[in-house]
Every structure is written in structure tokens, then in C-alpha cells.
Amino acid sequence: MKHKLLVQSVMTLALLLVSSFIFAQQRTITGTVLDETGSPLAGATVKVKGTTIATTTDENGVYSLEVPATAQNLEATFIGYSLKETAITGTRVDIQLQPNAEQDLDEVVVVGYGTARKKDLTGAMVTIAEKNFNKGIMTSPDQLIQGKTPGVMVINNTGQPGGSVTVSIRGNSSIRSSNNPLFVLDGVPMSGNSPLPEGRGGFASDRGNPLTYLNPLDITSMDILKDASATAIYGSRGANGVVLITTKKGTIGEPKISIGASAGISGMREYPKVLSADRFREALNYYTPTEVENADFGGNEDAFRAITRQAVTQNYYSDVTGGTENAKYRLSGGYLNQNGIILDSYLKKYTGNLTGNFRFLENKRLGLDLSLFLTQLDTRYAPISAMVGSEGNVISQALQWNPTLAIRDAQGNSTFVSSTVRNPLTSIDAFKDLATTNTMVVNVSPYYKITDDLEYRMIYSAMRQTGSRQGMYRAGLIDPALVRDEQAFISNNGETNIQMTHTLSYNKKINEEWSVNALLGYEYLSYDFRTNESFGSGFDFLGLDYYDYLDYSPAARREIGSYRSPTNELQSFFARAGINYLDRYLLTATIRRDGSTKFGANNKYALFPSLAVAWNVAEEEFLKSSDIFSQLKLRLGWGSTGNQEFPSGASLPRFVFSNQGANQTNFGNRDLRWETSTTINAGIDFAILNNRLYGSVDFFSKKTTDALFEQTLAQDAPNGRIWVNLAGEIVNKGVEIALTGTLVRHENWNWDLTGNVTFLKNRVSGLLGDYETGALRGQGFSGVLGQRMTNGQPLNVWYLAQYEGIDPQTGMSMYRGLDGSISTANDPAQNKFYANSPNPTTLLGISTNVNYKKFALAANMNGAMGHYLFNNTAATVLGVSNLSTRNIGSNFFDTSVKESTSNSSAPSTRYLEKGDYLKMANLTLSYNMGDIGKTFKNFNVSLTGQNLFIITKYTGFDPEVNTDGATNGIPSLGIEYLPYPPSRNFLLGVNFSL
């Protein structure tokens, strides 16, 4: 027994000695993998040459690897770059990779329900990687790609933190349905609805951006599908293009922590041009000399500066990632606190994301991908509504404030003038508007590789969004006579979306010449939306928030309402097949059959096919030996997609309940059918001079028919509305050009420049009538519409009186008559003309990156041209008719011709301005300090300026604006009316790993 114990002890000691010896032979190598510009490469593989010991870099390009003492070289690889072998000369090894044109073509990109090599693509699509995203305060993913690719227009409708954004791909093509593209998050299609409940009265009218719940720092790339060949796999939802959002996943290796933090200030980029106190006195003496004594209070006030501030923003972000080849994970969290530049407004955003990628069984054929997104948004809104009338909102109240009158009295209280001339500071105090929205997205995707070439995958996802909004209105502050008529409301929205998708994919390289890929799928989607609201008025102010005790209001002054959307389900079958012959000749065919509960019983299902071919000319023998072309591909595609973005239940009879009664508001249409867009696309992709210059050119023509439209029944029929398919078609044609060049490629510094331009043309034809929209608002503009859908014109063409100047004899506006006459007697309401389009004919994007040693400079500009905007703010807020009690716009003080103060404004071309602009969207200077001690890895410091300047002749707040003027569900475009102003931002940030 003792002998046995002795042997065991000796063996144990020997094992310990061997283990210690082996451990002593291990060493830790750390470093950063960089691209050709010196920027970190996330997801690059670092391997000990000749072994299986490997790891991947984190999002800051940092790696850490335990290597044997005998290891001499590391190999680093990344898709699109040449393998780089580097000698191990110490404990830190930084590696810089260089691009490889052939490797870049082998890069795997995300396509509908799968992936594909870039060289196998036949459709028009663009991938924008994280390193090319816009920088600055970004609250939603769509802002990351503004100006980054041709054909994509992104408009920030408002400066409100988390505010709405207009996105269109290759122009607008629908009269009544949504023109927004479909956003797909890791295979999960988003509904596009905002969970934020609507406000009432003078409360903020902006519904927010439905994508704000996503943290842009969780996104690794965005793929934009533009033509029917690329989007047809999404069938009924692909008519306006598709944006595929891919989030970051776990990486192989020991747990790594990445941390980012930034803080900055925001302020007005440019204050509106209204008269200063001295100029106001000059205007009084010029226009209304008899009223100077009553209108000049002797002060010097800038009301707009009084309602704005230097707002502070803080943004914190961290993630933990790691795992093995068979079990990777990533956990991230973020906190954004963005104060708005209008007093009291803010956005607080809390995000969490967990992803896991696992493989099971001995053969590792069974896998599971899962993700969880959690977000809460807490928002306080400034009382900026586009739905107000003559009382205006805080923007118009500040613009019109008499600059000779102090905005606060001697005691520091807001100056009271009257119930009709409102102090903007009082309005801010009078409205309290708070909202909380919560979003949860769960995505579970098991898959099984039946063979090496055949894989089954299921996607089950659930999205739950809730929105709660509480508002109170201190009416007594605005008008003391209403001190006992204070108001409050509570409203709640809830949406639950379910997706179930099954796909069977087959990818096989048959021989050296032929390879095929195929996809079969079935998908079921269900959307459920509900809302309710409670309102009360007649409160006495007790120092409490009224919405916390609505039952205190008189019973007769309470209102309740609730709504549930009719059944909204979509069932789809789809298939795609691709053939590659000799890596030269490519064919892709797609077909999808969609069935939707939104359509009439006779047309619930529709078929959406596409076909595309491509020729990799660079693979031909006569070009393979060329030193000029490293890539040359010709593409041609055709296909059709659908649009069903209109209210559920539209094809059915619908009733509205009230006071124990019901009224029919919608009449059914069993023959209502799908709105369909058919696209032809021809393109060329090229790269020359060893990939120093590369780009693409695309020509497209998109025709939309059977436009969905809600119209009022003819007079002899019962009162109500019915959804129909309009005769006629909308045609969008255009050319897209993208070009990137490496101007300098040197050991110490690199410089690349990217530009894209899009030329668009839009026309409507074949309509059996005219359809009006574009609500213009303000004093004297009640019920006025300024846009039309009509034959031979672009969508939303301006339909206005033609302004011909001021009559020097009377000081009144002159307008052109339908008979060609020019006179003050011509009624602007009866003499209207088609006058230009709000649709840009040219879109621009310019980006450049300069790297010198550890310094990096990135600049991004975007712009649009060829369109006209209606300055509704100038039309109804800033005219000389304000005098003598209110301020006017600087442009209206014109001594060359004396305009009468009784000259009322009218919806005319006087307020139609060119919207051409080029904006410095963001500029970032960064310095990579490298490692600091043994703790901080790849420490990077950056300074970002956002919305720095704009080149434009537009006189409003910003030509990048789109105030909602929709009428009867027909969207508008190009109206500016009292928006939340845009801000200029400066942000200091740090990023590092532990």
C-alpha cells in the first residue's frame, strides 16, 4: 500500500513539473490588426503559423493569443485582404493588412435569407461596413448611412432627439402607401411602426423614429438592396428597397471587454434671421411710424436664444465578447443621455444586447443562433407641433417676439403680453410631455446541416413594443381666464409582432466549372397593434401632475378611446436559385408568393418573380493578364415587388364606435389588389490599377402600377371612404454612380476619397383625376393644400399661385392669372399653376479618410439638388403683416418697395425656394495611442464635429427638413413649418479594450 502511495505521489509530482514546464513555455502575445488606412479591423483572424492556435480581433482590432515558446511567426487574415505573415519579436505584435482585389470578391455578404460571395451577386446592392458609418450623435441606424451610397436619401425631419427620419431608395413611387424601405434586423423584418403614442393639441406632433430602439454601436454592417433582383425575395415588402442590418456577434478567444465613452455639447448652428431690436425700430419707423410709441419698449431681447441652450450629451457603451469555435457569445450595454437644444427637451436611451452562436453534436452539424435586444427610451418633448394654427408653437412665438420687450420681468418671471401673443418661455412651462417606450426583440434560430451542402434553418422571432405618454397643459399660464381649465392625457400603444420562417438552402460546387446555390422557404408574419387614451380637463392647479389623478376632473370633461388593428397576417412561399459557370457567367432567379389579410378576398395572393444575369468579364482570358482591370462585371436584372404598407382591414367594411353607436367609415372592396413595382436594372462594377480605383454605375427604371388609394365615395353613395387601385403608373428612372480612389498609399500615410451621385427622374401618368396633399398651416392658411398628384408631373408637384412681386403703387402682392395677366386683383386661390417639384433630381455623397501614422481624419458630406421647398414658416410667421406688435424676418424688410402691412400672405411661389444644399455632416479627428500599460489596449481618442456647416441659399432653418403635411393619408414632401431646429454638435470620445 505504501509502495502504491509512493508511486502515485511521484507521478503527481512529475505531472506538476511537466505542467509547470509547459506553462513556462507559453507566452501571451497581444496587438492590433489594422487595415491599409491604419484603422482597426474587427473580426480578423490571427493564427500561429503551422498550428491551429488562433483567435479573432475584437471590435477595436485588438487580439490576445497564448503561443508556444517555439512559435516564430503569426499569420493574419481578413476577407478582402492579403494574408500577412509577421515575425514574433516581442510580446506585442501589431499587423497591418493590405487589400486584395481577388480576396475582396470572395467576401461573403448578407443577402435575403442567406449569404453570398460578392463575386456571385447579380443584383444592385451595397454593403456599408462599420468603419465607414457616419460619426457623431447617432440615435438610429438610418443616420449611419446618410450620403454613403447612391440612390439612398435620408432626411432628418426634425432636430428633436430621437426624432423621425424620412428614408427613400431610388425615389418615391407610391401615392398613398409608405415609401419607406423595409428594414430587416438579423433576418427579422421590422414593422416600421413607432410605439410612441400621438400627442394632442399643441403637444409635439413628431412620432419619433421606429428604429431608435437600436443602438448604432451594436451594428457591424448594413446591406442595401436596391433593385428587384435583390429585393424580390422579400416580395410584398420589397417595393421600396430593403436594408439588412447585421449586428455584432461573439468572437473566438478569451473574454474581452471593450469600452467606449463620449461627451459633448450641442447648440444652434445658425440662428434664424429675424430683426434685431435696432432693426425692428427702423422697421417700425418705416412701415408703421404712428405706432412706434406703443410698440417700442426700449429693450434688446433675443427670444430664440432665450429658449435654446448649450445642451450636453453623454454616451457610454461596453461589451464583453469571447468563446470557442463552437460557443461564441457577446453581451453589450449602452446609455445615451442627449439633451435637446430647446429647453427641457431630452432623450435618455438604455440598451442591452445578448447574442450567442452555438454548435452541438460530435459532428457539429446542429447549431443555434440567438439574440435578445432590450431598449427603453425616456423622452421629454418640447411643445413643437406642426398642427397648430395662429397660436403657433414655441418656435413661432420666439421668432415673432418683439425684440424691444424683455422676455422676463424684473422678478424673473416670464413676461405676459396676452393670450394671443404668447411668451415662448411660458409655453415651455405650460406643456409637460413625457413618454416612455420599451422594445424587446427575441430571435431564436436553430439550424441543422443535413449534409455539407444542404442546410435547414428556422427563425422564430418575437418583437414587443409598448409606448406610454403622459401630457399636461397649464392653460392658466397662457390665459389666466382658463386657470380652471387645465388639461391632461395618458395614452398607451402596444404592438406584438411574430415571425416564423423555415428555409432549406443548398450550396454546391459541382466541379471546377459549375456551382449552384438554391433556397426554398416558408414564412408567416403576424402584427398586432392596440392603443388607448384617457383625457381630462377642468383641473384646478394643486401643484401636482394632472395625469396622475385624471379622475379629479369633472366627469363631463373626460374622454376615453381605444383601438385594435384588424387582423394583419402575411403568409409567403419563396424560392431562389443561382448558377455560376466558370466564375464568369451568373444567373439568379427568384420567385415569391405572398398572401396578405389586408387585400380583398379575390386578390389575397400575388406572385413576385425576378431574373438577373451577370458576366464577370475580368475572369475572361483576354482580361486575366491585364494590369488594368482587377474587376469588371456587367449586370442586368428584371423583377417585380409589391407594396402592402397601408392600414390593415382596408379591404373590409369598418365601423367606428362612439356613444353606444357605430358608424361605417370604410366600405369593403373584395377586388382590392396589390400595388406592384417592376424594375429593370443594368449595372457595371469595376476596379482598376490594383484596386486603387473602383466603383459602379447603375441604370434603372422602376414602374409602379395599381397604386393603393383611399378615396371618398361619390355623393350619391353613403358617406364614407373606400380603398381602390388607381389607374395609371408612377415611373422612377435614374443613374447611380459610385467611385472610390486611393489617392495616397504610403507606409506612413494613406488618403482615400469616395464620391457618389444619383440622378433621378419621377413622373406620374394615366391617373383618372388629381389628388391633393401638402397641408400648409398657419395664420390665414386653414385648409390650404399645396401639392398634387397629377398626370405628366412628378409626385407631390407644387400647385400654387405664381407670385409676381409687390405692386409699388399699393404695396400688395401681384399674382399671375390663368389668362396671363399680372395684377393684385388675381385671386391666388383661383389662379394656380404647377411649379417645380420637392423631389431632388440629384443626390450627392462625399467621404474622405486621411491617415498619418497614428492620426486619422474622416469627413463625410451629403447633399441634394434640383428640388424646391415651401418655406411655410416664412409664409405665415415672418411677414410684414406682423408689424407693429410682432417681429418679422430680415428678408421681408425691403426698402426698395414698400410692402403694405395689410398685405396678407397666400400659398404662392413667393415662399417656394430652391432646396439645393451640401452639408458637412461629420468630421472626426482621432489619435490611436496604442496600449497604455498592461491594462488598456488600443486606446483611441477622437473629436467629432457634426452638422458643422451647410452650403445653401435656402433661407429657412435647414433644407434637410420634411414637416408632415399628409392629407387623407397621402404623404407630402418638402414643407418646412416651425420645426425643431437642427443642432451643431461637438463630441469628445475614447475607446479602449481591457
Side-chain angles (χ1 to χ4, degrees):
M1 177 66 103
K2 291 182 179 180
H3 177 73
K4 185 176 182 181
L5 289 173
L6 179 61
V7 172
Q8 289 179 342
S9 299
V10 172
M11 291 181 63
T12 301
L13 180 60
L15 287 172
L16 288 172
L17 290 173
V18 171
S19 298
S20 299
F21 176 78
I22 293 174
F23 181 78
Q25 304 308 304
Q26 298 284 325
R27 51 180 170 157
T28 302
I29 305 296
T30 61
T32 305
V33 179
L34 307 172
D35 65 11
E36 75 280 9
T37 68
S39 299
L41 275 175
T45 299
V46 180
K47 176 183 176 182
V48 178
K49 183 179 180 181
T51 74
T52 59
I53 302 171
T55 187
T56 56
T57 58
D58 63 16
E59 59 194 60
N60 294 313
V62 175
Y63 73 91
S64 178
L65 190 63
E66 294 288 336
V67 307
T70 56
Q72 296 181 349
N73 295 288
L74 295 179
E75 292 179 339
T77 57
F78 190 75
I79 294 173
Y81 290 80
S82 298
L83 180 147
K84 178 70 174 289
E85 182 176 328
T86 306
I88 301 175
T89 57
T91 58
R92 179 174 180 85
V93 179
D94 293 327
I95 306 170
Q96 187 168 31
L97 302 183
Q98 295 297 324
N100 182 302
E102 293 184 6
Q103 287 280 342
D104 183 60
L105 294 178
D106 287 328
E107 178 183 352
V108 176
V109 296
V110 178
V111 296
Y113 302 99
T115 59
R117 291 188 307 171
K118 185 180 290 187
K119 66 164 57 175
D120 293 338
L121 297 178
T122 56
M125 69 167 290
V126 176
T127 298
I128 302 175
E130 180 185 11
K131 67 176 184 177
N132 295 319
F133 288 162
N134 287 313
K135 308 295 191 296
I137 303 174
M138 301 292 165
T139 58
S140 62
D142 36 27
Q143 296 171 328
L144 299 174
I145 59 175
Q146 184 180 30
K148 288 295 183 178
T149 183
V152 179
M153 182 177 72
V154 180
I155 299 173
N156 292 296
N157 299 338
T158 171
Q160 168 75 42
S164 62
V165 174
T166 296
V167 183
S168 66
I169 296 178
R170 292 185 166 181
N172 295 330
S173 58
S174 180
I175 290 178
R176 172 57 177 80
S177 300
S178 169
N179 283 293
N180 289 336
L182 172 69
F183 286 88
V184 180
L185 173 66
D186 289 335
V188 180
M190 302 289 98
S191 69
N193 293 331
S194 170
L196 176 68
E198 295 182 2
R200 294 175 62 101
F203 289 86
S205 57
D206 186 79
R207 291 290 309 284
N209 188 332
L211 296 176
T212 302
Y213 76 89
L214 286 172
N215 190 333
L217 295 174
D218 279 327
I219 299 173
T220 187
S221 68
M222 297 176 69
D223 298 88
I224 302 167
L225 315 182
K226 294 188 283 188
D227 73 338
S229 171
T231 64
I233 194 68
Y234 287 100
S236 62
R237 295 159 300 154
N240 300 318
V242 180
V243 179
L244 306 178
I245 301 173
T246 303
T247 59
K248 297 173 182 177
K249 305 298 189 293
T251 56
I252 300 172
E254 295 296 320
K256 300 173 186 176
I257 301 176
S258 297
I259 297 173
S262 61
I265 58 172
S266 303
M268 288 287 296
R269 186 188 65 221
E270 184 177 357
Y271 282 90
K273 296 179 176 61
V274 295
L275 300 183
S276 65
D278 290 338
R279 288 281 288 165
F280 182 74
R281 293 184 180 96
E282 292 178 27
L284 290 178
N285 283 294
Y286 181 73
Y287 289 104
T288 57
T290 61
E291 300 178 32
V292 172
E293 184 177 348
N294 296 325
D296 185 358
F297 295 91
N300 185 359
E301 187 67 80
D302 189 330
F304 219 92
R305 291 183 184 273
I307 68 167
T308 57
R309 63 182 174 183
Q310 291 292 316
V312 176
T313 294
Q314 302 175 69
N315 195 9
Y316 305 97
Y317 180 80
S318 180
D319 73 1
V320 180
T321 180
T324 66
E325 186 179 354
N326 299 317
K328 295 181 291 185
Y329 63 88
R330 179 177 179 273
L331 175 65
S332 72
Y335 169 66
L336 169 68
N337 185 347
Q338 182 186 1
N339 289 307
I341 60 174
I342 300 295
L343 295 176
D344 290 348
S345 60
Y346 62 76
L347 168 68
K348 296 180 181 179
K349 180 176 179 179
Y350 311 84
T351 61
N353 174 218
L354 173 65
T355 63
N357 308 96
F358 307 97
R359 295 197 298 175
F360 306 97
L361 304 181
E362 186 177 349
N363 58 15
K364 307 305 178 187
R365 291 189 180 276
L366 178 64
L368 176 66
D369 297 335
L370 57 85
S371 62
L372 172 66
F373 296 86
L374 297 172
T375 301
Q376 177 169 311
L377 304 176
D378 293 332
T379 311
R380 178 159 184 168
Y381 295 92
I384 299 177
S385 172
M387 310 304 172
V388 292
S390 60
E391 74 275 11
N393 62 36
V394 294
I395 302 300
S396 61
Q397 293 157 15
L399 292 172
Q400 293 181 335
W401 185 259
N402 185 330
T404 68
L405 176 63
I407 201 165
R408 294 187 184 275
D409 60 24
Q411 289 72 42
N413 299 317
S414 299
T415 303
F416 179 79
V417 180
S418 70
S419 60
T420 55
V421 179
R422 298 184 178 182
N423 187 318
L425 291 178
T426 303
S427 289
I428 290 175
D429 292 337
F431 287 89
K432 188 173 184 179
D433 189 359
L434 303 174
T436 296
T437 61
N438 289 277
T439 301
M440 178 181 71
V441 181
V442 180
N443 186 10
V444 179
S445 180
Y447 62 91
Y448 185 75
K449 292 185 73 67
I450 302 169
T451 68
D452 291 340
D453 310 312
L454 184 64
E455 178 183 286
Y456 162 78
R457 179 179 289 269
M458 183 187 83
I459 299 175
Y460 174 81
S461 70
M463 180 179 188
R464 175 63 178 170
Q465 295 191 101
T466 61
S468 175
R469 187 168 182 174
Q470 304 87 38
M472 60 177 280
Y473 173 49
R474 295 285 312 281
L477 294 180
I478 301 296
D479 186 350
L482 301 176
V483 69
R484 296 185 180 277
D485 195 22
E486 315 278 76
Q487 304 173 12
F489 72 90
I490 300 175
S491 54
N492 299 283
N493 282 356
E495 182 177 29
T496 302
N497 305 327
I498 302 295
Q499 174 196 8
M500 179 74 75
T501 304
H502 301 270
T503 60
L504 193 64
S505 57
Y506 179 75
N507 290 278
K508 177 72 172 177
K509 186 174 179 62
I510 299 173
N511 52 41
E512 293 299 319
E513 297 181 345
W514 292 91
S515 61
V516 298
N517 66 79
L519 175 76
L520 289 174
Y522 167 81
E523 186 168 72
Y524 168 80
L525 296 164
S526 173
Y527 300 98
D528 180 80
F529 175 80
R530 306 181 187 209
T531 182
N532 61 72
E533 181 184 31
S534 301
F535 170 81
S537 63
F539 291 94
D540 291 326
F541 183 61
L542 302 177
L544 302 174
D545 295 332
Y546 307 139
Y547 45 73
D548 289 331
Y549 56 103
L550 284 177
D551 50 337
Y552 179 72
S553 61
R557 304 291 298 276
R558 300 176 200 159
E559 301 173 16
I560 60 171
S562 61
Y563 168 81
R564 177 184 178 183
S565 66
T567 301
N568 182 3
E569 297 176 341
L570 186 71
Q571 178 177 255
S572 308
F573 302 88
F574 52 90
R576 179 177 59 215
I579 300 174
N580 181 327
Y581 178 60
L582 295 174
D583 276 344
R584 302 176 196 170
Y585 313 109
L586 310 171
L587 171 69
T588 303
T590 303
I591 190 166
R592 180 167 179 134
R593 180 172 172 81
D594 279 322
S596 171
T597 57
K598 288 185 176 183
F599 291 97
N602 298 334
N603 291 295
K604 283 192 179 295
Y605 282 87
L607 202 64
F608 302 104
S610 76
L611 184 67
V613 294
W615 178 23
N616 275 325
V617 186
E619 294 294 326
E620 297 290 351
E621 292 299 328
F622 60 83
L623 272 184
K624 272 195 171 184
S625 59
S626 171
D627 294 331
I628 299 177
F629 286 98
S630 51
Q631 181 189 11
L632 183 61
K633 180 198 283 187
L634 304 179
R635 295 177 280 105
L636 180 64
W638 166 92
S640 66
T641 49
N643 192 343
Q644 60 140 18
E645 297 306 313
F646 68 109
S648 58
S651 64
L652 304 173
R654 294 181 60 192
F655 296 82
V656 173
F657 295 95
S658 61
N659 297 323
Q660 296 186 336
N663 298 312
Q664 185 168 1
T665 58
N666 188 81
F667 288 78
N669 181 358
R670 295 174 62 85
D671 295 320
L672 190 67
R673 58 189 179 273
W674 298 73
E675 179 175 306
T676 302
S677 295
T678 303
T679 303
I680 297 175
N681 190 95
I684 179 172
D685 304 319
F686 60 90
I688 61 176
L689 305 176
N690 194 26
N691 232 29
R692 292 287 292 266
L693 182 66
Y694 60 90
S696 63
V697 180
D698 278 87
F699 305 85
F700 67 89
S701 177
K702 178 180 176 183
K703 180 171 69 175
T704 301
T705 56
D706 290 329
L708 292 161
F709 190 78
E710 185 184 26
Q711 67 181 25
T712 303
L713 292 172
Q715 286 297 321
D716 292 340
N719 291 330
R721 304 176 70 81
I722 186 172
W723 279 86
V724 298
N725 295 101
L726 295 179
E729 60 187 33
I730 302 102
V731 175
N732 282 280
K733 295 182 178 181
V735 179
E736 300 172 345
I737 303 172
L739 191 63
T740 297
T742 301
L743 305 182
V744 177
R745 185 180 292 171
H746 190 269
E747 182 180 355
N748 288 326
W749 71 294
N750 298 272
W751 180 16
D752 65 67
L753 179 65
T754 297
N756 68 77
V757 61
T758 307
F759 302 101
L760 294 168
K761 186 176 181 181
N762 175 282
R763 280 292 182 272
V764 179
S765 64
L767 293 180
L768 299 181
D770 299 326
Y771 303 93
E772 293 189 294
T773 187
L776 306 179
R777 302 182 175 95
Q779 184 71 37
F781 274 35
S782 178
V784 172
L785 303 178
Q787 295 179 341
R788 272 194 174 186
M789 310 292 188
T790 191
N791 293 324
Q793 298 287 346
L795 282 172
N796 298 100
V797 65
W798 293 109
Y799 187 60
L800 303 163
Q802 186 168 323
Y803 174 72
E804 297 290 351
I806 300 295
D807 184 349
Q809 304 300 319
T810 64
M812 306 298 284
S813 295
M814 298 184 294
Y815 300 98
R816 181 175 295 275
L818 297 176
D819 60 358
S821 63
I822 298 175
S823 171
T824 59
N826 289 326
D827 184 356
Q830 302 298 322
N831 295 270
K832 294 186 177 183
F833 299 86
Y834 295 111
N836 300 304
S837 167
N839 301 282
T841 58
T842 305
L843 304 176
L844 292 173
I846 302 172
S847 300
T848 189
N849 295 278
V850 181
N851 296 79
Y852 177 71
K853 294 185 177 179
K854 293 187 176 184
F855 288 94
L857 178 69
N860 297 286
M861 304 182 75
N862 64 75
M865 299 179 182
H867 62 301
Y868 284 76
L869 306 175
F870 190 85
N871 193 335
N872 200 163
T873 304
T876 57
V877 175
L878 298 176
V880 296
S881 59
N882 284 352
L883 294 171
S884 61
T885 59
R886 297 174 294 176
N887 205 356
I888 66 172
S890 300
N891 292 341
F892 288 92
F893 188 6
D894 183 4
T895 57
S896 64
V897 56
K898 189 172 185 179
E899 182 176 355
S900 172
T901 56
S902 62
N903 185 35
S904 60
S905 62
S908 71
T909 57
R910 180 180 188 181
Y911 311 104
L912 204 59
E913 302 182 34
K914 282 189 175 182
D916 299 357
Y917 77 91
L918 182 63
K919 177 181 291 188
M920 176 57 75
N922 49 84
L923 180 68
T924 298
L925 177 64
S926 60
Y927 179 72
N928 192 327
M929 300 174 64
D931 295 349
I932 300 179
K934 295 183 179 180
T935 303
F936 300 100
K937 309 295 182 183
N938 198 39
F939 199 95
N940 191 80
V941 182
S942 63
L943 178 64
T944 298
Q946 190 177 6
N947 200 11
L948 292 178
F949 64 83
I950 188 168
I951 303 170
T952 185
K953 292 184 178 180
Y954 181 67
T955 62
F957 283 95
D958 195 310
E960 187 190 330
V961 68
N962 185 28
T963 303
D964 184 12
T967 305
N968 293 327
I970 307 175
S972 65
L973 183 66
I975 300 172
E976 184 216 84
Y977 183 56
L978 306 179
Y980 193 116
S983 62
R984 177 190 283 134
N985 312 314
F986 293 96
L987 209 62
L988 180 65
V990 295
N991 298 86
F992 57 89
S993 299
L994 300 176

